């Protein structure tokens, strides 16, 4: 059991114990007050009991049985001990129930003349004799055995045991998921990226289960990021190995054939430039993934930016024998990071040029919603397209689909474009065109 369990347990138990003691004390005080009032009432009645018997005797002597009955009826609702009138056939005048042992004791005390003021026999005009008495201990009647109050030990022990069980169950209910979370954090810190706690939460629907779901989401994100970094490291190593191997081969060939040294130097220069471009793209990608873009937001003309990108791409399009059809927009000033957007849209356009068939057309269609301040850019090519299963993967670093012979492609262009658009709270997605080719759509919101 952890420290948190004992904190919960002692807190709940003490709270229940204090509440139980408070309620028990209040009940006990009320019970004592009630008993005190009953005792006082009985003390007053005992002093007047003999006089009530005398009054009953006078009532039957002067008013007959009717007078006695009226007196006893009036006494029934009064806060005094009852006066009984029993004839020789053991019938009480008001048909009240009298215990046989009480009646027998009253007759015996009358015959012994032990308490003549409190036990009397009178004759009525109808010939019946009535025994008048008040069955009180002060008048010689045996007192009823006192009610022994139940021992408070059993309720106290039962309440204490129940509070212990309840407090332990409640503390365990709160401490168990926290202990599971602690173990999961420890496992994650030791490198177990598959550690999860969702299944250990059971059917809970509270803040602790929400915390477990958040932990699982965090662990999943860390798992994906670590594996992405491992895959990126593997891809970078692979990408660097090829140009380095070609550089080493060029150096060896230059040493063996000095007459080809100039051609080999050009080869080495191209491969060195490829490595430099690769390192530069990796730096840009790492900054974007870390949320560091290197530039601040500023006002710029998005229409002019798109015009410059398309104009520069037309020179590259001539090398591939591709025509660019551009549907631009008027001058529109927005606030953002122009360098990032320039690189993102340029990478998408260059990717379309590299994969478009020779003699084909690349279409760049731009729309700007002035009301919603939202830019929409669609780039269409007439290339082979991408397998449906790879549409979401083309924005991953070093991903290549279809034609892998594009020597100028490093494999980071779309990945950088994706993260640059994401840095502007935008969205970029790819889909295949029904007539062939790939369609990439960019949607970017701008603030005032």
């Amino acid at each position: 059991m952890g420290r948190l369990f004992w904190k919960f347990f002692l807190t709940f138990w003490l709270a229940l114990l204090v509440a139980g003691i408070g309620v028990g004390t209040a009940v006990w005080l009320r019970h004592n007050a009630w008993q005190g009032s009953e005792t006082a009432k009985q003390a007053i009645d005992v002093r007047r009991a003999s006089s009530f018997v005398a009054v009953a005797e006078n009532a039957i002597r002067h008013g007959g049985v009717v007078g006695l009955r009226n007196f006893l009826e009036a006494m029934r609702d009064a806060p005094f001990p009852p006066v009984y009138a029993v004839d020789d056939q053991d019938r009480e005048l008001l048909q009240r129930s009298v215990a046989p042992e009480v009646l027998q004791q009253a007759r015996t005390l009358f015959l012994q003349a032990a308490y003549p003021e409190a036990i009397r026999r009178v004759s009525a005009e109808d010939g019946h004799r009535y025994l008048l008495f008040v069955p009180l201990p002060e008048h010689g009647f045996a007192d009823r055995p006192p009610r022994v109050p139940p021992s408070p030990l059993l309720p106290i022990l039962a309440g204490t045991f129940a509070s212990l069980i309840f407090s332990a169950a409640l503390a365990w209910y709160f401490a168990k998921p926290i202990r599971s979370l602690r173990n999961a954090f420890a496992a994650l810190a030791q490198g177990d990226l598959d550690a999860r706690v969702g299944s250990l939460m059971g059917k809970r629907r509270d803040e602790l289960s929400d915390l477990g779901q958040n932990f699982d989401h965090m662990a999943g994100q860390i798992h994906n990021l670590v594996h992405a970094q491992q895959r990126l490291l593997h891809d970078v190593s692979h990408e660097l190995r090829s140009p380095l191997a070609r550089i080493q081969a060029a150096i060896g060939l230059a040493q063996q054939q000095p007459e080809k040294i100039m051609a080999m130097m050009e080869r080495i220069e191209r491969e060195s430039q490829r490595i430099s471009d690769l390192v530069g793209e990796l730096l840009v990608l790492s900054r974007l993934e870390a949320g560091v873009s290197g530039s601040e937001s500023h006002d710029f003309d998005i229409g002019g930016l798109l015009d410059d990108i398309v104009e520069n791409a037309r020179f590259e399009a001539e090398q591939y024998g591709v025509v660019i059809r551009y549907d631009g927009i008027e001058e529109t000033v927005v606030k953002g990071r122009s360098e990032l957007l320039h690189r993102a849209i340029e990478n998408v356009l260059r990717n379309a040029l590299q994969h478009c068939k020779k003699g084909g057309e690349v279409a760049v269609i731009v729309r700007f919603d002035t009301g919603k301040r939202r830019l929409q850019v669609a780039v269409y090519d007439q290339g082979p397209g991408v397998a449906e299963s790879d549409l979401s993967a083309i924005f991953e670093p070093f991903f290549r689909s279809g034609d892998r012979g594009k020597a100028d492609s490093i494999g980071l262009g779309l990945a950088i474009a994706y993260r640059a658009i994401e840095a502007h709270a935008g969205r970029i997605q790819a889909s295949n065109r029904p007539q062939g080719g790939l369609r990439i759509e960019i949607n970017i919101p701008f603030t005032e």
Side-chain angles (χ1 to χ4, degrees):
M1 300 296 179
R3 290 170 294 177
L4 186 62
F5 171 84
W6 290 111
K7 288 181 180 179
F8 277 127
F9 172 75
L10 292 176
T11 301
F12 294 140
W13 184 51
L14 289 176
L16 290 174
L17 204 59
V18 170
I21 292 174
V23 172
T25 302
V27 172
W28 179 75
L29 291 174
R30 181 177 178 82
H31 179 69
N32 283 353
W34 178 80
Q35 281 189 334
S37 64
E38 288 295 318
T39 302
K41 183 191 302 183
Q42 289 180 2
I44 296 173
D45 293 341
V46 167
R47 291 193 297 268
R48 299 181 180 179
S50 298
S51 61
F52 292 139
V53 174
V55 173
E57 182 181 10
N58 291 330
I60 194 172
R61 290 188 183 280
H62 299 91
V65 176
V66 175
L68 178 60
R69 181 180 287 108
N70 292 336
F71 171 73
L72 295 179
E73 288 285 356
M75 286 285 296
R76 175 176 291 186
D77 298 328
F80 302 111
V83 178
Y84 292 96
V86 182
D87 61 11
D88 294 336
Q89 282 75 37
D90 297 339
R91 294 176 299 186
E92 208 276 326
L93 185 60
L94 299 183
Q95 305 299 321
R96 290 175 293 183
S97 175
V98 182
E101 60 271 16
V102 173
L103 182 59
Q104 180 62 37
Q105 189 177 11
R107 295 187 187 281
T108 301
L109 292 173
F110 173 74
L111 294 176
Q112 294 175 355
Y115 300 95
E117 297 87 1
I119 305 174
R120 304 182 185 188
R121 176 179 287 173
V122 295
S123 299
E125 70 278 2
D126 57 0
H128 291 88
R129 294 185 306 174
Y130 290 92
L131 185 64
L132 306 177
F133 63 93
V134 177
L136 292 178
E138 289 78 2
H139 299 157
F141 289 87
D143 194 7
R144 288 175 295 178
R147 281 180 55 186
V148 179
S151 173
L153 183 61
L154 182 61
I156 291 175
L157 290 178
T160 303
F161 180 74
S163 64
L164 284 172
I165 296 298
F166 179 77
S167 300
L170 198 57
W172 177 85
Y173 179 77
F174 285 118
K176 181 177 181 295
I178 297 177
R179 187 166 56 251
S180 301
L181 281 169
R182 184 187 62 186
N183 296 335
F185 274 113
L188 187 64
Q190 294 175 0
D192 183 9
L193 301 180
D194 294 324
R196 301 292 186 273
V197 296
S199 59
L200 302 177
M201 292 296 173
K203 298 181 178 179
R204 301 177 68 103
R205 293 295 181 271
D206 53 17
E207 286 77 4
L208 289 175
S209 65
D210 294 340
L211 183 60
Q213 293 176 1
N214 292 337
F215 172 84
D216 289 349
H217 177 71
M218 177 195 69
Q221 291 293 98
I222 294 176
H223 181 276
N224 294 335
L225 289 175
V226 170
H227 280 270
Q229 293 295 331
Q230 293 174 348
R231 186 171 62 253
L232 180 62
L233 181 61
H234 175 270
D235 293 338
V236 169
S237 301
H238 176 75
E239 292 294 327
L240 288 175
R241 186 185 299 115
S242 297
L244 287 174
R246 288 192 288 268
I247 289 175
Q248 291 175 349
I251 292 173
L253 190 60
Q255 291 174 345
Q256 296 174 6
Q257 301 178 12
E259 68 278 6
K260 295 184 178 181
I261 190 170
M262 293 304 297
M264 294 302 102
M265 290 297 293
E266 293 177 359
R267 180 73 178 187
I268 292 173
E269 183 180 7
R270 287 198 304 270
E271 297 301 335
S272 299
Q273 185 61 43
R274 178 176 176 81
I275 293 175
S276 177
D277 294 341
L278 175 61
V279 172
E281 296 292 298
L282 284 173
L283 288 175
V284 173
L285 182 63
S286 64
R287 291 194 188 101
L288 289 173
E289 289 183 339
V292 180
S293 63
S295 62
E296 298 294 333
S297 297
H298 59 277
D299 294 334
F300 65 95
D301 177 17
I302 187 64
L305 179 72
L306 292 170
D307 293 341
D308 292 341
I309 293 173
V310 174
E311 189 63 28
N312 294 333
R314 292 188 191 277
F315 291 101
E316 186 175 353
E318 293 178 358
Q319 301 176 8
Y320 299 109
V322 177
V323 177
I324 297 179
R325 179 169 58 86
Y326 172 54
D327 182 9
I329 58 175
E330 299 178 354
E331 178 180 351
T332 305
V333 178
V334 296
K335 187 174 183 178
R337 286 170 277 189
S338 58
E339 295 85 355
L340 280 183
L341 290 179
H342 187 285
R343 184 183 291 270
I345 299 174
E346 183 180 50
N347 287 348
V348 172
L349 184 53
R350 292 189 64 197
N351 180 79
L353 292 175
Q354 291 173 2
H355 294 88
C356 187
K357 67 181 181 179
K358 189 173 183 179
E361 179 185 79
V362 171
V364 182
I365 302 174
V366 183
R367 296 287 184 271
F368 188 83
D369 188 340
T370 55
K372 297 181 179 179
R373 304 287 296 174
R374 184 177 295 273
L375 175 68
Q376 296 176 341
V377 180
V379 179
Y380 304 85
D381 65 48
Q382 294 179 347
V386 178
E388 292 292 333
S389 58
D390 294 337
L391 285 175
S392 60
I394 64 174
F395 299 106
E396 296 295 328
F398 299 109
F399 177 82
R400 293 191 181 92
S401 178
D403 187 2
R404 296 178 177 269
K406 299 290 184 181
D408 296 334
S409 176
I410 298 177
L412 294 175
L414 292 182
I416 292 175
Y418 182 87
R419 285 155 181 79
I421 299 301
E422 194 177 52
H424 284 80
R427 181 169 53 90
I428 180 172
Q429 59 184 5
S431 60
N432 287 312
R433 302 173 64 197
Q435 62 270 36
L438 187 68
R439 174 177 58 236
I440 294 183
E441 296 179 350
I442 300 174
N443 198 309
I444 306 174
F446 291 100
T447 57
E448 294 292 341

